[in-house]
Structure formats: structure tokens, C-alpha cells
């Protein structure tokens, strides 16, 4: 786990004030350690994304939760699609051929 | 796509002139970042590489001192190469569910399966064969059980995360890490399929005096020196209540007394035993009576306690 002071060094452009806003708004949810917040690498990457969205892409704080939510929903959908793709790949060839043919139909409609 | 040569020139990477103002550089960077950011445009390695170059170029030029030295030909852009960095999607898109994944996505998944394997869709020529019944997903829980409840068995009422209460029968002799299966208490089935199961993993908490070895229970019992020498009857706790244990005369420290059937009593196999290890505890050394008595005794009765001991000389 990574301490708050270390996170500030790792994420360029992140100030203490901004970090606390991110935690208060629950955009980032660090673990609570004995002497302050503890972040994992997912949290740090998310903070970096938040900084880039707001600083570089000029996403304002009202729109930020929506953007984060959409990104998370996208990752969630992709994860479930991978589960589905895995399940399909484990089916008999006949089943996979039928599915492939059906999906090609759909694409060309 | 920019050539290698272009990547060495942060101005060309950003598409600005050498005389561009800070604001112009920032604007150019933002424009490119919107087009290229890997968390927005996933799966295009070329775009990602270009984004890395663009960010590196921007980071380079927005430091006035570095920009001045580059303009003066003191350093080149590669000297200030940014270290490889992590993008959010490398973690969030990595495969496992994570804490930022939207809540309720499991319910959405059920709905999806319901659609995929249920009614609806097209019928007729494609040989639609009616809904496929799916078993609901299993739900996993963890339950802490006291040492004695694990030995003797118990019934515990627990509240599940969905608010339902469930009476869980803990069978006698349950082991740490064992999983109990409660058929039908998982997620509901899809298209009238059967529900999943609740899988409850048992954690057995440690006890203050007892320890466990399979179905046997271990206990260290302190005894006095007179009880060890002369024998006696001692009140001993067992998992099923207190009993009187007869200490034979002349018992050494470490002697193990076996109380048959006083360990765990699993339903499907033989009951374990309670193994009581005797530990002789000497009286307060201020009490000189024992010292004097043993001194007198030693004059004529010394013996070799290490006779037959493998560590002897």
C-alpha cells in the first residue's frame, strides 16, 4: 500500500487539497490506515486519470463523476464480455459455428 | 503518425512552432490528448504510443527551464524521457472485479442472462428452442465460530448481506476453513432455474486453553508438586463440561492423560479424545519448606533424571 505523501510524489500535478477532494467526493476510495489513507496501485492510477481529465482535458468537477462512471461501466462491460467470450470459446464447435453465423447476420443487417 | 525524428522534437510532436506561447502549447496538447487518451480510445496501440509521446513532449515544454535549455541546444528531448507510466485501464480493465466497478452489476448480469437464454429474441426459422433454465449463482460467506462451537456443534442465526436471516447448523467437529453448503440459499435462478447455493467458509477462533489436533483436543494442565508425587484428583475443564481427572502418583511433567471421547464428536466418524498434558508448577521460591525437604531427601535419594535420555552424555 502507498502512503498519501508518496502518492503526491507519484502523481504529477496532484496537490494535497485536490487529493482530499477526490477522497471526500468518493472518486477515489483508499483504505484507512493507522496514520492516514493507504492507496493501492489502482487508486494511484485512478488519481492520475482524474488529474489528466481535469487538468489536461478540462473536465470540470461536475462532469467528472459522470466521466469516471462511464469509464468504469465500460470496463465492467468489457470484463463481462470477456467472461462471455470465454464461455463461448468453451462450447462445441457446432454451437460456436451457429453463433458466429448468427452474429455475422446481425452485423450485416 | 509521427516519425522517430519528429518524436525527438517536442514542438513537432505537439504540432506547434518554436515560438508558441505557453497557452498555445497547452491548447495544442489538450486538443491532441482528447483525440489520443488511451482511457478514452482503448485498444489502439499506435494511438497510445502517440499519446505517450505527446504527454512527454508537453511535460517537457511546460517546464520553462527545460524548454530554454532545449531551445539553446543544451539538452535533447530524449534526455528527459518520462519513465513508463501506468494507465488506469491497466488496472481497472485487468480482469477481476474491482472496487470502482459499478454496484449492482451482478443483477444486470442476471438480466442479461435472462435475455440471452430466455424467451424473446426471434423464433421460427432459426429454431428457437424456448428458454434455457439457469441455476442461480452461488454466494460465498465467511463465518467466525468459537472453538467450543466448532467442537460441540451449534446453531447460529446470521443476517445475510441481502437482509435475509438464515439459521446455520454448525456440525460438531467442523474444521477451520471447511465450507458448509446451504442448498438453495444463493442467487435466484434464471428463467425458473433452481437457485444457487450459499457457501459458508468457517473460521474457527482460537480458545484460551484448548487447542485442536484433528478431532482430538489438547489441554495443558498445571499440577502441584505434591499432586505429581502423591497423585490426586483434579478438576479439569473439557469441551463438554468439567470432570474429575485422577492423577496417578509419580506423574512427571509432560505426561499425557487421554480422556476417551472428550474431543470433537463428528456425526460421521469416531469421536476424538481430550489429551491432557501435565505441567508441574513449583510453589513460590520464597517458601523454603520444600527446599529444605528436598535437600534432606537428596542426601540419600538422588536419581538420574536423564537416564535413558537420548541427549545424555
Amino acid at each position: 500500500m502507498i502512503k498519501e505523501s508518496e502518492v503526491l510524489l507519484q502523481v504529477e500535478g496532484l496537490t494535497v487539497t485536490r487529493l482530499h477532494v477526490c477522497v471526500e467526493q468518493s472518486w477515489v476510495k483508499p483504505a484507512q490506515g493507522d496514520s492516514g489513507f493507504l492507496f493501492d496501485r489502482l487508486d494511484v492510477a485512478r488519481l492520475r486519470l482524474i488529474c489528466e481529465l481535469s487538468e489536461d482535458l478540462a473536465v470540470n468537477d461536475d462532469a467528472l463523476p459522470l466521466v469516471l462512471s462511464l469509464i468504469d461501466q465500460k470496463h465492467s462491460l468489457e470484463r463481462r464480455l470477456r467472461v462471455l467470450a470465454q464461455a463461448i470459446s468453451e462450447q462445441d464447435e457446432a454451437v460456436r459455428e451457429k453463433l458466429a453465423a448468427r452474429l455475422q447476420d446481425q452485423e450485416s443487417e | 503518425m509521427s516519425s522517430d525524428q519528429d518524436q525527438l522534437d517536442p514542438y513537432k510532436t505537439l504540432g506547434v512552432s518554436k515560438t508558441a506561447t505557453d497557452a498555445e502549447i497547452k491548447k495544442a496538447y489538450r486538443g491532441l490528448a482528447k483525440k489520443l487518451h488511451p482511457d478514452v480510445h482503448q485498444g489502439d496501440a499506435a494511438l497510445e504510443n502517440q499519446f505517450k509521446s505527446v504527454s512527454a513532449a508537453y511535460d517537457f515544454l511546460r517546464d520553462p527551464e527545460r524548454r530554454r535549455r532545449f531551445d539553446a541546444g543544451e539538452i535533447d528531448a530524449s534526455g528527459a524521457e518520462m519513465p513508463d507510466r501506468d494507465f488506469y485501464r491497466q488496472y481497472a480493465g485487468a480482469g477481476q472485479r474491482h472496487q470502482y466497478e459499478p454496484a449492482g452489476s451482478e443483477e444486470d448480469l442476471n438480466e442479461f442472462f435472462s435475455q440471452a437464454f430466455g424467451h424473446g429474441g426471434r423464433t421460427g426459422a432459426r429454431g428457437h428452442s424456448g428458454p434455457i433454465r439457469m441455476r442461480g449463482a452461488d454466494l460465498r460467506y465467511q463465518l467466525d465460530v468459537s472453538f467450543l462451537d466448532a467442537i460441540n456443534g451449534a446453531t447460529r442465526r446470521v443476517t445475510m448481506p441481502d437482509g435475509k436471516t438464515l439459521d446455520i447448523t454448525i456440525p460438531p467437529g467442523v474444521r477451520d476453513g471447511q465450507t458448509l453448503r446451504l442448498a438453495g440459499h444463493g442467487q435466484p435462478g434464471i428463467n425458473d432455474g433452481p437457485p444457487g447455493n450459499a457457501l459458508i467458509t468457517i473460521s474457527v477462533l482460537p480458545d484460551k486453553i484448548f487447542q485442536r489436533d484433528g478431532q482430538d483436543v489438547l489441554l495443558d494442565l498445571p499440577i502441584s508438586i505434591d499432586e505429581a508425587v502423591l497423585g490426586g484428583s483434579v478438576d479439569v475443564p473439557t469441551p463438554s463440561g468439567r470432570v474429575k481427572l485422577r492423577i496417578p502418583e509419580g506423574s512427571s511433567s509432560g505426561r499425557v492423560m487421554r480422556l476417551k471421547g472428550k474431543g470433537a464428536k463428528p456425526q460421521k466418524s469416531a469421536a476424538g479424545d481430550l489429551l491432557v498434558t501435565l505441567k508441574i508448577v513449583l510453589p513460590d521460591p520464597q517458601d523454603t519448606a520444600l527446599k529444605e525437604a528436598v535437600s534432606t531427601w537428596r542426601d540419600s535419594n538422588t536419581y538420574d533424571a536423564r537416564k535413558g535420555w537420548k541427549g545424555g552424555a
Side-chain angles (χ1 to χ4, degrees):
Chain A
M1 297 299 267
I2 305 159
K3 281 192 288 193
E4 191 174 314
S5 52
E6 184 63 23
V7 169
L8 293 170
L9 290 177
Q10 283 189 19
V11 182
E12 192 169 340
L14 183 64
T15 62
V16 186
T17 320
R18 186 65 179 160
L19 177 60
H20 288 170
V21 169
C22 290
V23 174
E24 274 158 28
Q25 297 292 325
S26 297
W27 297 336
V28 175
K29 297 167 186 164
Q32 182 71 58
D34 290 336
S35 56
F37 297 120
L38 290 173
F39 299 80
D40 60 18
R41 298 190 68 182
L42 173 68
D43 297 325
V44 174
R46 191 175 172 89
L47 280 166
R48 195 173 284 130
L49 171 65
I50 290 171
C51 284
E52 287 173 352
L53 287 172
S54 39
E55 295 302 316
D56 301 340
L57 306 188
V59 174
N60 69 31
D61 283 2
D62 291 338
L64 192 61
L66 176 67
V67 174
L68 286 174
S69 163
L70 288 173
I71 289 174
D72 287 330
Q73 284 180 49
K74 189 200 74 138
H75 287 311
S76 170
L77 278 170
E78 283 173 347
R79 184 178 69 76
R80 283 184 268 154
L81 270 177
R82 280 197 298 273
V83 172
L84 187 62
Q86 178 63 34
I88 292 171
S89 75
E90 287 163 7
Q91 299 308 305
D92 295 338
E93 192 162 349
V95 176
R96 284 188 287 140
E97 273 172 7
K98 265 191 191 170
L99 265 173
R102 175 67 188 77
L103 290 171
Q104 264 164 0
D105 276 12
Q106 186 79 57
E107 289 294 306
S108 54
E109 266 166 17
Chain B
M1 252 353 64
S2 50
S3 73
D4 287 346
Q5 194 55 49
D6 287 346
Q7 282 181 13
L8 293 178
D9 184 340
Y11 294 104
K12 280 189 187 157
T13 305
L14 290 173
V16 294
S17 74
K18 288 217 174 206
T19 55
T21 63
D22 286 350
E24 283 167 350
I25 289 172
K26 188 169 187 175
K27 192 172 166 230
Y29 169 65
R30 280 188 175 176
L32 286 167
K34 273 177 202 165
K35 280 199 294 187
L36 302 172
H37 197 286
D39 280 316
V40 183
H41 304 277
Q42 185 172 336
D44 190 329
L47 282 185
E48 179 173 333
N49 282 334
Q50 207 186 336
F51 178 76
K52 283 179 180 169
S53 314
V54 166
S55 323
Y58 176 60
D59 280 329
F60 188 85
L61 288 183
R62 75 173 161 181
D63 179 338
E65 173 62 12
R66 243 187 326 213
R67 188 179 174 190
R68 187 196 61 76
R69 292 179 68 196
F70 179 80
D71 290 346
E74 290 175 30
I75 52 169
D76 66 14
S78 64
E81 189 84 45
M82 297 296 287
D84 254 6
R85 42 158 297 177
D86 300 325
F87 289 110
Y88 179 60
R89 66 170 168 75
Q90 287 170 280
Y91 298 96
Q96 293 299 309
R97 244 192 98 79
H98 59 83
Q99 67 157 329
Y100 299 112
E101 188 160 313
S105 61
E106 297 309 317
E107 284 74 31
D108 295 348
L109 193 60
N110 269 10
E111 218 173 284
F112 167 76
F113 282 139
S114 183
Q115 188 199 347
F117 300 107
H119 295 284
R122 285 176 285 185
T123 54
R126 294 182 194 278
H128 189 71
S129 58
I132 295 176
R133 288 152 50 106
M134 280 180 80
R135 199 174 73 87
D138 291 338
L139 293 175
R140 290 179 178 276
Y141 305 102
Q142 193 259 332
L143 181 64
D144 288 341
V145 174
S146 76
F147 184 91
L148 289 180
D149 281 352
I151 295 289
N152 297 322
T155 308
R156 291 269 298 276
R157 172 161 294 186
V158 296
T159 305
M160 298 309 208
D162 62 4
K164 278 189 293 190
T165 56
L166 201 54
D167 286 324
I168 297 176
T169 303
I170 297 158
V174 73
R175 290 160 195 271
D176 187 48
Q178 194 174 324
T179 300
L180 306 179
R181 188 170 145 276
L182 272 73
H185 288 284
Q187 294 261 29
I190 293 160
N191 300 322
D192 298 325
N197 302 321
L199 301 175
I200 295 156
T201 303
I202 300 292
S203 286
V204 178
L205 302 173
D207 190 80
K208 285 200 208 74
I209 54 167
F210 296 116
Q211 289 188 303
R212 180 94 177 253
D213 179 16
Q215 299 300 5
D216 292 337
V217 175
L218 312 180
L219 172 70
D220 283 347
L221 177 68
I223 57 170
S224 66
I225 190 151
D226 51 299
E227 285 166 339
V229 173
L230 305 172
S233 181
V234 180
D235 186 58
V236 181
T238 78
S240 50
R242 301 187 81 87
V243 298
K244 290 283 183 192
L245 174 65
R246 201 186 63 78
I247 312 286
E249 60 175 42
S251 289
S252 292
S253 218
R255 178 171 192 162
V256 178
M257 316 281 298
R258 181 179 290 263
L259 277 74
K260 282 265 174 220
K262 291 286 183 190
K265 297 185 183 74
Q267 280 151 343
K268 287 176 188 162
S269 54
D273 303 329
L274 175 65
L275 301 176
V276 180
T277 304
L278 304 182
K279 302 273 180 193
I280 297 171
V281 178
L282 293 180
D284 188 334
Q286 305 298 322
D287 176 3
T288 52
L290 177 67
K291 213 167 159 183
E292 283 160 20
V294 172
S295 285
T296 315
W297 174 84
R298 181 160 70 179
D299 292 343
S300 50
N301 292 284
T302 189
Y303 70 108
D304 185 2
R306 289 169 290 282
K307 192 177 159 192
W309 180 53
K310 290 195 179 71

